[in-house]
Amino acid sequence: MKGLKKFTVNMIVGANVATIILMLLVGYSDRLDPTVHPVLSCLGLIFPVFVVLNLCFLIFWALFSLKRAIVPIAGFLLAYSPVRTYFPLNLGTEEKPNLKIISYNVAGYSADENGKRGGGLQGALDYVANCDADVACLQEVTLREKDMGRVGNRFPHVSSQYLRYSGSGVTLLSKYPIRKKELIEFEEGCSQSVAFYVDVNGTEVIFVNNHLESAQLSLKERSNFENMVHGAAKGEVSREESQRLLVKLGARNAKRARQVKALSRFLKAHKGVPVILCGDFNDSPISYPHYEMSKRLTDCFRESGNGLGWTFFRNAIHVRIDHIFCSSHFVPCTCKVDANATSSDHYPMLCSLKMQGKTQK
């Protein structure tokens, strides 16, 4: 019996170690360039699975063999960076914010698959007009003249960039004067990034509003994605569907990678200038686009948010794909996702920042 017990314990320890190794490989997979490794770049999507498994091991060892709890604890320490990126916990700051922004994909003028979407564009604009923000970065929308009455009193300065390939665009609403805008050119895809140059109390701040390449998954593909993430795919057909889905996701990841490289070139050319970069990245916190932006800017949710912060919670996909980054001219004070806003298939991300002296990261 002692031999059997020892064998069983060793097997469980081995399984725990294997889980940790996979958690690390997946957690640091955001370093992989999707243009070179398109399918492997999808690994970050399943990172929460291994975090939960390691947490289960921690609970198990705490109940039955406390000394072995060091194994999952060591795993979390080794994976500290991706765990904090995906699930940050912050106690707050004493800094006093002087700039509030919102990033919100308002889903344009279309309805959802059921023909409705909790208030539509008008509901989203009403929400933005009452959110107490100084600057609002909106995606999947180009404001028409009839829409301006809903935001005009709150945001006297408005600038939109229409993208003819997608039939939509991005818009910046601001309390501060918008001096000019600049389209950041992408080689391909129905996506866009636009730099808006805003005079914030005498300092020029560049707000880069982004809507990067979408995965463009059908309802069936979204269901297959849920099965893949939860390990529920069974049978040859399901495996084939999962493989096909991974190939499609990988191809979209490669497009986003090329778009992010264009963003990186823009940031490099404007190094030392106050920048706030935000929008719908269509990618998770464990992804190449997020990693590339984090090398140059600060992830506001990571530094001042709490929890999972899901900004997209529809059709079996629960993930934070909207992000706000800032240069070192700013200190993130708070960052949260409002899951009570139901006018779009995205939730808005709201962030308060303290604008400080001109320093470089």
Side-chain angles (χ1 to χ4, degrees), residues 311-346:
T311 60
F312 191 88
F313 196 130
R314 300 290 191 277
N315 306 114
I317 301 177
H318 311 157
V319 68
R320 185 165 77 250
I321 59 175
D322 301 84
H323 307 283
I324 298 176
F325 296 88
C326 66
S327 64
S328 59
H329 303 81
F330 306 91
V331 177
C333 299
T334 62
C335 194
K336 64 179 182 179
V337 175
D338 188 353
N340 294 314
T342 59
S343 296
S344 170
D345 56 358
H346 288 245

PDB file of all heavy atoms in Angstrom, residues 311-346:
ATOM      1  N   THR A 311     -13.581  42.158 -22.305  1.00  0.00           N
ATOM      2  CA  THR A 311     -14.251  43.197 -23.081  1.00  0.00           C
ATOM      3  C   THR A 311     -15.110  42.611 -24.185  1.00  0.00           C
ATOM      4  O   THR A 311     -15.888  43.335 -24.813  1.00  0.00           O
ATOM      5  CB  THR A 311     -13.224  44.160 -23.716  1.00  0.00           C
ATOM      6  OG1 THR A 311     -12.352  43.425 -24.582  1.00  0.00           O
ATOM      7  CG2 THR A 311     -12.401  44.865 -22.645  1.00  0.00           C
ATOM      8  N   PHE A 312     -14.950  41.322 -24.442  1.00  0.00           N
ATOM      9  CA  PHE A 312     -15.803  40.636 -25.415  1.00  0.00           C
ATOM     10  C   PHE A 312     -16.339  39.382 -24.749  1.00  0.00           C
ATOM     11  O   PHE A 312     -15.570  38.530 -24.319  1.00  0.00           O
ATOM     12  CB  PHE A 312     -15.010  40.271 -26.678  1.00  0.00           C
ATOM     13  CG  PHE A 312     -15.875  39.795 -27.812  1.00  0.00           C
ATOM     14  CD1 PHE A 312     -16.415  40.695 -28.707  1.00  0.00           C
ATOM     15  CD2 PHE A 312     -16.154  38.448 -27.976  1.00  0.00           C
ATOM     16  CE1 PHE A 312     -17.228  40.260 -29.760  1.00  0.00           C
ATOM     17  CE2 PHE A 312     -16.964  38.003 -29.011  1.00  0.00           C
ATOM     18  CZ  PHE A 312     -17.497  38.913 -29.907  1.00  0.00           C
ATOM     19  N   PHE A 313     -17.669  39.281 -24.642  1.00  0.00           N
ATOM     20  CA  PHE A 313     -18.288  38.195 -23.888  1.00  0.00           C
ATOM     21  C   PHE A 313     -19.520  37.738 -24.666  1.00  0.00           C
ATOM     22  O   PHE A 313     -20.644  37.940 -24.242  1.00  0.00           O
ATOM     23  CB  PHE A 313     -18.696  38.712 -22.507  1.00  0.00           C
ATOM     24  CG  PHE A 313     -18.984  37.634 -21.497  1.00  0.00           C
ATOM     25  CD1 PHE A 313     -18.402  37.677 -20.245  1.00  0.00           C
ATOM     26  CD2 PHE A 313     -19.824  36.575 -21.771  1.00  0.00           C
ATOM     27  CE1 PHE A 313     -18.663  36.701 -19.290  1.00  0.00           C
ATOM     28  CE2 PHE A 313     -20.102  35.593 -20.833  1.00  0.00           C
ATOM     29  CZ  PHE A 313     -19.523  35.663 -19.590  1.00  0.00           C
ATOM     30  N   ARG A 314     -19.263  37.175 -25.821  1.00  0.00           N
ATOM     31  CA  ARG A 314     -20.365  36.751 -26.673  1.00  0.00           C
ATOM     32  C   ARG A 314     -20.012  35.428 -27.343  1.00  0.00           C
ATOM     33  O   ARG A 314     -18.858  35.161 -27.649  1.00  0.00           O
ATOM     34  CB  ARG A 314     -20.648  37.783 -27.775  1.00  0.00           C
ATOM     35  CG  ARG A 314     -21.039  39.178 -27.286  1.00  0.00           C
ATOM     36  CD  ARG A 314     -22.420  39.211 -26.658  1.00  0.00           C
ATOM     37  NE  ARG A 314     -22.864  40.583 -26.437  1.00  0.00           N
ATOM     38  CZ  ARG A 314     -22.521  41.323 -25.392  1.00  0.00           C
ATOM     39  NH1 ARG A 314     -21.720  40.821 -24.472  1.00  0.00           N
ATOM     40  NH2 ARG A 314     -22.962  42.553 -25.261  1.00  0.00           N
ATOM     41  N   ASN A 315     -21.022  34.640 -27.600  1.00  0.00           N
ATOM     42  CA  ASN A 315     -20.891  33.451 -28.459  1.00  0.00           C
ATOM     43  C   ASN A 315     -19.728  32.563 -28.074  1.00  0.00           C
ATOM     44  O   ASN A 315     -18.897  32.202 -28.902  1.00  0.00           O
ATOM     45  CB  ASN A 315     -20.754  33.886 -29.910  1.00  0.00           C
ATOM     46  CG  ASN A 315     -21.882  34.794 -30.365  1.00  0.00           C
ATOM     47  OD1 ASN A 315     -21.656  35.952 -30.669  1.00  0.00           O
ATOM     48  ND2 ASN A 315     -23.097  34.287 -30.376  1.00  0.00           N
ATOM     49  N   ALA A 316     -19.620  32.243 -26.800  1.00  0.00           N
ATOM     50  CA  ALA A 316     -18.635  31.290 -26.294  1.00  0.00           C
ATOM     51  C   ALA A 316     -17.221  31.851 -26.217  1.00  0.00           C
ATOM     52  O   ALA A 316     -16.297  31.141 -25.849  1.00  0.00           O
ATOM     53  CB  ALA A 316     -18.627  30.015 -27.130  1.00  0.00           C
ATOM     54  N   ILE A 317     -17.035  33.123 -26.569  1.00  0.00           N
ATOM     55  CA  ILE A 317     -15.707  33.726 -26.501  1.00  0.00           C
ATOM     56  C   ILE A 317     -15.695  34.761 -25.382  1.00  0.00           C
ATOM     57  O   ILE A 317     -16.393  35.774 -25.450  1.00  0.00           O
ATOM     58  CB  ILE A 317     -15.318  34.379 -27.841  1.00  0.00           C
ATOM     59  CG1 ILE A 317     -15.339  33.323 -28.957  1.00  0.00           C
ATOM     60  CG2 ILE A 317     -13.944  35.019 -27.758  1.00  0.00           C
ATOM     61  CD1 ILE A 317     -15.046  33.873 -30.334  1.00  0.00           C
ATOM     62  N   HIS A 318     -14.900  34.495 -24.359  1.00  0.00           N
ATOM     63  CA  HIS A 318     -14.780  35.391 -23.212  1.00  0.00           C
ATOM     64  C   HIS A 318     -13.323  35.814 -23.113  1.00  0.00           C
ATOM     65  O   HIS A 318     -12.475  35.028 -22.686  1.00  0.00           O
ATOM     66  CB  HIS A 318     -15.210  34.698 -21.915  1.00  0.00           C
ATOM     67  CG  HIS A 318     -16.539  33.995 -22.009  1.00  0.00           C
ATOM     68  ND1 HIS A 318     -16.905  32.960 -21.179  1.00  0.00           N
ATOM     69  CD2 HIS A 318     -17.588  34.190 -22.844  1.00  0.00           C
ATOM     70  CE1 HIS A 318     -18.112  32.548 -21.489  1.00  0.00           C
ATOM     71  NE2 HIS A 318     -18.552  33.271 -22.500  1.00  0.00           N
ATOM     72  N   VAL A 319     -13.022  37.039 -23.474  1.00  0.00           N
ATOM     73  CA  VAL A 319     -11.620  37.428 -23.530  1.00  0.00           C
ATOM     74  C   VAL A 319     -11.489  38.948 -23.536  1.00  0.00           C
ATOM     75  O   VAL A 319     -12.429  39.665 -23.907  1.00  0.00           O
ATOM     76  CB  VAL A 319     -10.954  36.827 -24.795  1.00  0.00           C
ATOM     77  CG1 VAL A 319     -11.508  37.479 -26.048  1.00  0.00           C
ATOM     78  CG2 VAL A 319      -9.448  36.925 -24.740  1.00  0.00           C
ATOM     79  N   ARG A 320     -10.346  39.439 -23.087  1.00  0.00           N
ATOM     80  CA  ARG A 320     -10.045  40.871 -23.161  1.00  0.00           C
ATOM     81  C   ARG A 320      -9.302  41.129 -24.467  1.00  0.00           C
ATOM     82  O   ARG A 320      -8.134  40.800 -24.604  1.00  0.00           O
ATOM     83  CB  ARG A 320      -9.187  41.306 -21.963  1.00  0.00           C
ATOM     84  CG  ARG A 320      -8.949  42.809 -21.922  1.00  0.00           C
ATOM     85  CD  ARG A 320      -8.417  43.253 -20.561  1.00  0.00           C
ATOM     86  NE  ARG A 320      -7.011  42.978 -20.343  1.00  0.00           N
ATOM     87  CZ  ARG A 320      -6.523  42.065 -19.500  1.00  0.00           C
ATOM     88  NH1 ARG A 320      -7.360  41.295 -18.819  1.00  0.00           N
ATOM     89  NH2 ARG A 320      -5.224  41.889 -19.357  1.00  0.00           N
ATOM     90  N   ILE A 321     -10.003  41.693 -25.441  1.00  0.00           N
ATOM     91  CA  ILE A 321      -9.382  41.975 -26.732  1.00  0.00           C
ATOM     92  C   ILE A 321      -9.260  43.475 -26.989  1.00  0.00           C
ATOM     93  O   ILE A 321      -8.694  43.879 -28.005  1.00  0.00           O
ATOM     94  CB  ILE A 321     -10.145  41.306 -27.891  1.00  0.00           C
ATOM     95  CG1 ILE A 321     -11.599  41.789 -27.952  1.00  0.00           C
ATOM     96  CG2 ILE A 321     -10.086  39.797 -27.760  1.00  0.00           C
ATOM     97  CD1 ILE A 321     -12.365  41.241 -29.154  1.00  0.00           C
ATOM     98  N   ASP A 322      -9.802  44.290 -26.090  1.00  0.00           N
ATOM     99  CA  ASP A 322      -9.642  45.739 -26.176  1.00  0.00           C
ATOM    100  C   ASP A 322      -8.603  46.155 -25.137  1.00  0.00           C
ATOM    101  O   ASP A 322      -8.636  45.683 -23.991  1.00  0.00           O
ATOM    102  CB  ASP A 322     -10.972  46.443 -25.908  1.00  0.00           C
ATOM    103  CG  ASP A 322     -12.044  46.023 -26.903  1.00  0.00           C
ATOM    104  OD1 ASP A 322     -12.689  44.970 -26.674  1.00  0.00           O
ATOM    105  OD2 ASP A 322     -12.238  46.737 -27.896  1.00  0.00           O
ATOM    106  N   HIS A 323      -7.710  47.053 -25.531  1.00  0.00           N
ATOM    107  CA  HIS A 323      -6.595  47.412 -24.652  1.00  0.00           C
ATOM    108  C   HIS A 323      -6.336  48.910 -24.710  1.00  0.00           C
ATOM    109  O   HIS A 323      -6.630  49.571 -25.716  1.00  0.00           O
ATOM    110  CB  HIS A 323      -5.324  46.666 -25.064  1.00  0.00           C
ATOM    111  CG  HIS A 323      -5.491  45.178 -25.158  1.00  0.00           C
ATOM    112  ND1 HIS A 323      -5.532  44.363 -24.042  1.00  0.00           N
ATOM    113  CD2 HIS A 323      -5.642  44.353 -26.232  1.00  0.00           C
ATOM    114  CE1 HIS A 323      -5.687  43.104 -24.422  1.00  0.00           C
ATOM    115  NE2 HIS A 323      -5.763  43.075 -25.748  1.00  0.00           N
ATOM    116  N   ILE A 324      -5.751  49.417 -23.622  1.00  0.00           N
ATOM    117  CA  ILE A 324      -5.309  50.811 -23.562  1.00  0.00           C
ATOM    118  C   ILE A 324      -3.857  50.823 -23.101  1.00  0.00           C
ATOM    119  O   ILE A 324      -3.530  50.239 -22.063  1.00  0.00           O
ATOM    120  CB  ILE A 324      -6.170  51.653 -22.594  1.00  0.00           C
ATOM    121  CG1 ILE A 324      -7.624  51.692 -23.070  1.00  0.00           C
ATOM    122  CG2 ILE A 324      -5.614  53.072 -22.489  1.00  0.00           C
ATOM    123  CD1 ILE A 324      -8.564  52.429 -22.129  1.00  0.00           C
ATOM    124  N   PHE A 325      -3.002  51.460 -23.882  1.00  0.00           N
ATOM    125  CA  PHE A 325      -1.587  51.605 -23.552  1.00  0.00           C
ATOM    126  C   PHE A 325      -1.249  53.093 -23.464  1.00  0.00           C
ATOM    127  O   PHE A 325      -1.894  53.925 -24.116  1.00  0.00           O
ATOM    128  CB  PHE A 325      -0.697  50.971 -24.622  1.00  0.00           C
ATOM    129  CG  PHE A 325      -0.842  49.479 -24.762  1.00  0.00           C
ATOM    130  CD1 PHE A 325      -1.790  48.930 -25.601  1.00  0.00           C
ATOM    131  CD2 PHE A 325      -0.013  48.624 -24.043  1.00  0.00           C
ATOM    132  CE1 PHE A 325      -1.912  47.556 -25.741  1.00  0.00           C
ATOM    133  CE2 PHE A 325      -0.124  47.246 -24.171  1.00  0.00           C
ATOM    134  CZ  PHE A 325      -1.082  46.710 -25.020  1.00  0.00           C
ATOM    135  N   CYS A 326      -0.220  53.411 -22.690  1.00  0.00           N
ATOM    136  CA  CYS A 326       0.209  54.802 -22.604  1.00  0.00           C
ATOM    137  C   CYS A 326       1.728  54.875 -22.523  1.00  0.00           C
ATOM    138  O   CYS A 326       2.393  53.935 -22.070  1.00  0.00           O
ATOM    139  CB  CYS A 326      -0.419  55.508 -21.397  1.00  0.00           C
ATOM    140  SG  CYS A 326       0.124  54.886 -19.788  1.00  0.00           S
ATOM    141  N   SER A 327       2.287  55.998 -22.959  1.00  0.00           N
ATOM    142  CA  SER A 327       3.719  56.230 -22.815  1.00  0.00           C
ATOM    143  C   SER A 327       4.017  56.626 -21.378  1.00  0.00           C
ATOM    144  O   SER A 327       3.106  56.824 -20.551  1.00  0.00           O
ATOM    145  CB  SER A 327       4.167  57.330 -23.779  1.00  0.00           C
ATOM    146  OG  SER A 327       3.545  58.566 -23.449  1.00  0.00           O
ATOM    147  N   SER A 328       5.296  56.766 -21.051  1.00  0.00           N
ATOM    148  CA  SER A 328       5.680  57.041 -19.659  1.00  0.00           C
ATOM    149  C   SER A 328       5.384  58.472 -19.241  1.00  0.00           C
ATOM    150  O   SER A 328       5.690  58.870 -18.116  1.00  0.00           O
ATOM    151  CB  SER A 328       7.170  56.752 -19.469  1.00  0.00           C
ATOM    152  OG  SER A 328       7.946  57.549 -20.347  1.00  0.00           O
ATOM    153  N   HIS A 329       4.778  59.252 -20.141  1.00  0.00           N
ATOM    154  CA  HIS A 329       4.325  60.586 -19.758  1.00  0.00           C
ATOM    155  C   HIS A 329       3.093  60.510 -18.864  1.00  0.00           C
ATOM    156  O   HIS A 329       2.658  61.519 -18.311  1.00  0.00           O
ATOM    157  CB  HIS A 329       3.990  61.397 -21.006  1.00  0.00           C
ATOM    158  CG  HIS A 329       5.128  61.515 -21.980  1.00  0.00           C
ATOM    159  ND1 HIS A 329       5.451  60.522 -22.874  1.00  0.00           N
ATOM    160  CD2 HIS A 329       6.024  62.496 -22.170  1.00  0.00           C
ATOM    161  CE1 HIS A 329       6.489  60.896 -23.602  1.00  0.00           C
ATOM    162  NE2 HIS A 329       6.861  62.092 -23.193  1.00  0.00           N
ATOM    163  N   PHE A 330       2.523  59.302 -18.748  1.00  0.00           N
ATOM    164  CA  PHE A 330       1.296  59.108 -17.985  1.00  0.00           C
ATOM    165  C   PHE A 330       1.480  58.022 -16.929  1.00  0.00           C
ATOM    166  O   PHE A 330       2.242  57.075 -17.119  1.00  0.00           O
ATOM    167  CB  PHE A 330       0.144  58.700 -18.917  1.00  0.00           C
ATOM    168  CG  PHE A 330      -0.086  59.640 -20.058  1.00  0.00           C
ATOM    169  CD1 PHE A 330       0.547  59.442 -21.282  1.00  0.00           C
ATOM    170  CD2 PHE A 330      -0.942  60.725 -19.923  1.00  0.00           C
ATOM    171  CE1 PHE A 330       0.341  60.299 -22.346  1.00  0.00           C
ATOM    172  CE2 PHE A 330      -1.163  61.588 -20.984  1.00  0.00           C
ATOM    173  CZ  PHE A 330      -0.510  61.380 -22.192  1.00  0.00           C
ATOM    174  N   VAL A 331       0.746  58.167 -15.828  1.00  0.00           N
ATOM    175  CA  VAL A 331       0.668  57.135 -14.796  1.00  0.00           C
ATOM    176  C   VAL A 331      -0.762  56.612 -14.767  1.00  0.00           C
ATOM    177  O   VAL A 331      -1.699  57.376 -14.481  1.00  0.00           O
ATOM    178  CB  VAL A 331       1.047  57.681 -13.409  1.00  0.00           C
ATOM    179  CG1 VAL A 331       0.870  56.593 -12.342  1.00  0.00           C
ATOM    180  CG2 VAL A 331       2.469  58.210 -13.394  1.00  0.00           C
ATOM    181  N   PRO A 332      -0.996  55.346 -15.091  1.00  0.00           N
ATOM    182  CA  PRO A 332      -2.356  54.794 -15.003  1.00  0.00           C
ATOM    183  C   PRO A 332      -2.826  54.778 -13.549  1.00  0.00           C
ATOM    184  O   PRO A 332      -2.132  54.272 -12.675  1.00  0.00           O
ATOM    185  CB  PRO A 332      -2.194  53.375 -15.554  1.00  0.00           C
ATOM    186  CG  PRO A 332      -0.911  53.383 -16.317  1.00  0.00           C
ATOM    187  CD  PRO A 332      -0.023  54.357 -15.609  1.00  0.00           C
ATOM    188  N   CYS A 333      -3.988  55.326 -13.300  1.00  0.00           N
ATOM    189  CA  CYS A 333      -4.538  55.370 -11.940  1.00  0.00           C
ATOM    190  C   CYS A 333      -5.629  54.324 -11.749  1.00  0.00           C
ATOM    191  O   CYS A 333      -5.636  53.603 -10.760  1.00  0.00           O
ATOM    192  CB  CYS A 333      -5.084  56.764 -11.646  1.00  0.00           C
ATOM    193  SG  CYS A 333      -3.846  58.078 -11.712  1.00  0.00           S
ATOM    194  N   THR A 334      -6.544  54.254 -12.682  1.00  0.00           N
ATOM    195  CA  THR A 334      -7.593  53.222 -12.658  1.00  0.00           C
ATOM    196  C   THR A 334      -7.874  52.770 -14.073  1.00  0.00           C
ATOM    197  O   THR A 334      -7.732  53.541 -15.025  1.00  0.00           O
ATOM    198  CB  THR A 334      -8.908  53.740 -12.040  1.00  0.00           C
ATOM    199  OG1 THR A 334      -9.423  54.814 -12.845  1.00  0.00           O
ATOM    200  CG2 THR A 334      -8.694  54.223 -10.609  1.00  0.00           C
ATOM    201  N   CYS A 335      -8.271  51.523 -14.213  1.00  0.00           N
ATOM    202  CA  CYS A 335      -8.674  51.004 -15.519  1.00  0.00           C
ATOM    203  C   CYS A 335      -9.694  49.905 -15.273  1.00  0.00           C
ATOM    204  O   CYS A 335      -9.432  48.973 -14.504  1.00  0.00           O
ATOM    205  CB  CYS A 335      -7.468  50.473 -16.296  1.00  0.00           C
ATOM    206  SG  CYS A 335      -7.788  50.185 -18.049  1.00  0.00           S
ATOM    207  N   LYS A 336     -10.840  50.010 -15.876  1.00  0.00           N
ATOM    208  CA  LYS A 336     -11.886  49.026 -15.635  1.00  0.00           C
ATOM    209  C   LYS A 336     -12.712  48.800 -16.893  1.00  0.00           C
ATOM    210  O   LYS A 336     -12.707  49.611 -17.822  1.00  0.00           O
ATOM    211  CB  LYS A 336     -12.802  49.481 -14.495  1.00  0.00           C
ATOM    212  CG  LYS A 336     -13.584  50.750 -14.795  1.00  0.00           C
ATOM    213  CD  LYS A 336     -14.486  51.126 -13.627  1.00  0.00           C
ATOM    214  CE  LYS A 336     -15.301  52.380 -13.958  1.00  0.00           C
ATOM    215  NZ  LYS A 336     -16.215  52.746 -12.838  1.00  0.00           N
ATOM    216  N   VAL A 337     -13.409  47.690 -16.893  1.00  0.00           N
ATOM    217  CA  VAL A 337     -14.321  47.336 -17.977  1.00  0.00           C
ATOM    218  C   VAL A 337     -15.737  47.371 -17.421  1.00  0.00           C
ATOM    219  O   VAL A 337     -16.017  46.791 -16.370  1.00  0.00           O
ATOM    220  CB  VAL A 337     -13.996  45.937 -18.535  1.00  0.00           C
ATOM    221  CG1 VAL A 337     -15.024  45.519 -19.581  1.00  0.00           C
ATOM    222  CG2 VAL A 337     -12.591  45.919 -19.128  1.00  0.00           C
ATOM    223  N   ASP A 338     -16.614  48.071 -18.112  1.00  0.00           N
ATOM    224  CA  ASP A 338     -17.998  48.188 -17.649  1.00  0.00           C
ATOM    225  C   ASP A 338     -18.856  47.130 -18.336  1.00  0.00           C
ATOM    226  O   ASP A 338     -19.298  47.302 -19.475  1.00  0.00           O
ATOM    227  CB  ASP A 338     -18.527  49.586 -17.946  1.00  0.00           C
ATOM    228  CG  ASP A 338     -19.890  49.821 -17.309  1.00  0.00           C
ATOM    229  OD1 ASP A 338     -20.472  48.864 -16.755  1.00  0.00           O
ATOM    230  OD2 ASP A 338     -20.379  50.966 -17.358  1.00  0.00           O
ATOM    231  N   ALA A 339     -19.097  46.031 -17.615  1.00  0.00           N
ATOM    232  CA  ALA A 339     -19.885  44.931 -18.170  1.00  0.00           C
ATOM    233  C   ALA A 339     -21.379  45.220 -18.156  1.00  0.00           C
ATOM    234  O   ALA A 339     -22.178  44.394 -18.606  1.00  0.00           O
ATOM    235  CB  ALA A 339     -19.594  43.646 -17.386  1.00  0.00           C
ATOM    236  N   ASN A 340     -21.770  46.389 -17.641  1.00  0.00           N
ATOM    237  CA  ASN A 340     -23.181  46.758 -17.620  1.00  0.00           C
ATOM    238  C   ASN A 340     -23.606  47.475 -18.907  1.00  0.00           C
ATOM    239  O   ASN A 340     -24.793  47.701 -19.117  1.00  0.00           O
ATOM    240  CB  ASN A 340     -23.477  47.654 -16.419  1.00  0.00           C
ATOM    241  CG  ASN A 340     -23.296  46.924 -15.101  1.00  0.00           C
ATOM    242  OD1 ASN A 340     -23.755  45.795 -14.943  1.00  0.00           O
ATOM    243  ND2 ASN A 340     -22.618  47.546 -14.150  1.00  0.00           N
ATOM    244  N   ALA A 341     -22.648  47.845 -19.728  1.00  0.00           N
ATOM    245  CA  ALA A 341     -22.957  48.506 -20.997  1.00  0.00           C
ATOM    246  C   ALA A 341     -23.293  47.432 -22.032  1.00  0.00           C
ATOM    247  O   ALA A 341     -22.445  46.611 -22.377  1.00  0.00           O
ATOM    248  CB  ALA A 341     -21.768  49.343 -21.455  1.00  0.00           C
ATOM    249  N   THR A 342     -24.499  47.433 -22.531  1.00  0.00           N
ATOM    250  CA  THR A 342     -24.974  46.325 -23.373  1.00  0.00           C
ATOM    251  C   THR A 342     -25.350  46.757 -24.785  1.00  0.00           C
ATOM    252  O   THR A 342     -26.019  46.015 -25.504  1.00  0.00           O
ATOM    253  CB  THR A 342     -26.188  45.649 -22.713  1.00  0.00           C
ATOM    254  OG1 THR A 342     -27.237  46.612 -22.536  1.00  0.00           O
ATOM    255  CG2 THR A 342     -25.817  45.052 -21.366  1.00  0.00           C
ATOM    256  N   SER A 343     -24.932  47.932 -25.213  1.00  0.00           N
ATOM    257  CA  SER A 343     -25.327  48.415 -26.531  1.00  0.00           C
ATOM    258  C   SER A 343     -24.518  47.801 -27.662  1.00  0.00           C
ATOM    259  O   SER A 343     -24.891  47.911 -28.824  1.00  0.00           O
ATOM    260  CB  SER A 343     -25.197  49.943 -26.586  1.00  0.00           C
ATOM    261  OG  SER A 343     -26.082  50.550 -25.678  1.00  0.00           O
ATOM    262  N   SER A 344     -23.393  47.176 -27.343  1.00  0.00           N
ATOM    263  CA  SER A 344     -22.500  46.625 -28.352  1.00  0.00           C
ATOM    264  C   SER A 344     -22.155  45.190 -27.994  1.00  0.00           C
ATOM    265  O   SER A 344     -22.479  44.713 -26.896  1.00  0.00           O
ATOM    266  CB  SER A 344     -21.235  47.485 -28.434  1.00  0.00           C
ATOM    267  OG  SER A 344     -20.245  46.879 -29.224  1.00  0.00           O
ATOM    268  N   ASP A 345     -21.446  44.506 -28.901  1.00  0.00           N
ATOM    269  CA  ASP A 345     -20.939  43.181 -28.561  1.00  0.00           C
ATOM    270  C   ASP A 345     -19.587  43.269 -27.836  1.00  0.00           C
ATOM    271  O   ASP A 345     -18.987  42.251 -27.510  1.00  0.00           O
ATOM    272  CB  ASP A 345     -20.834  42.283 -29.799  1.00  0.00           C
ATOM    273  CG  ASP A 345     -19.977  42.884 -30.896  1.00  0.00           C
ATOM    274  OD1 ASP A 345     -19.500  44.014 -30.726  1.00  0.00           O
ATOM    275  OD2 ASP A 345     -19.800  42.230 -31.934  1.00  0.00           O
ATOM    276  N   HIS A 346     -19.132  44.494 -27.600  1.00  0.00           N
ATOM    277  CA  HIS A 346     -17.965  44.750 -26.762  1.00  0.00           C
ATOM    278  C   HIS A 346     -18.400  45.514 -25.515  1.00  0.00           C
ATOM    279  O   HIS A 346     -19.431  46.199 -25.527  1.00  0.00           O
ATOM    280  CB  HIS A 346     -16.927  45.610 -27.495  1.00  0.00           C
ATOM    281  CG  HIS A 346     -16.188  44.900 -28.581  1.00  0.00           C
ATOM    282  ND1 HIS A 346     -14.843  44.657 -28.537  1.00  0.00           N
ATOM    283  CD2 HIS A 346     -16.621  44.390 -29.766  1.00  0.00           C
ATOM    284  CE1 HIS A 346     -14.464  44.037 -29.636  1.00  0.00           C
ATOM    285  NE2 HIS A 346     -15.534  43.852 -30.402  1.00  0.00           N
TER     286      HIS A 346
END
